[in-house]
Amino acid sequence: MDDYWTAVIWTLLPTIVVSGLFFFILRSVIFADRNERRKYAKIEAEERAKRGLPPVAQPATGAAVPGSAAPAPKS
């Protein structure tokens, strides 16, 4: 019976390790993207202020991002 549980552990261990690595890599990519977007927004706001342009309104959570495809308004 001891050999059975050893085989189960050795069978599941690679899947668990790869899943953990995937989780942490994906998490770091998402965090890096979020931080990059914040820095880009800050730089863009500074450049708009230098040129005397009004600040860009921040989209509400779940709102469409400028430049993305949005549904056409109904007439």
Side-chain angles (χ1 to χ4, degrees):
M1 191 69 171
D2 188 38
D3 290 337
Y4 173 77
W5 288 110
T6 304
V8 168
I9 291 173
W10 280 109
T11 302
L12 294 177
L13 189 63
T15 303
I16 293 169
V17 170
V18 169
S19 298
L21 286 171
F22 178 76
F23 171 78
F24 285 110
I25 290 170
L26 194 59
R27 182 175 155 234
S28 67
V29 168
I30 291 171
F31 284 164
D33 180 60
R34 182 178 62 188
N35 292 335
E36 184 177 351
R37 287 176 188 260
R38 283 182 186 164
K39 289 178 184 176
Y40 180 79
K42 181 181 175 186
I43 292 169
E44 184 178 2
E46 290 171 357
E47 291 297 320
R48 290 181 68 84
K50 284 181 187 177
R51 295 179 181 174
L53 297 171
V56 176
Q58 295 295 326
T61 304
V65 177
S68 66
K74 295 181 180 180
S75 37

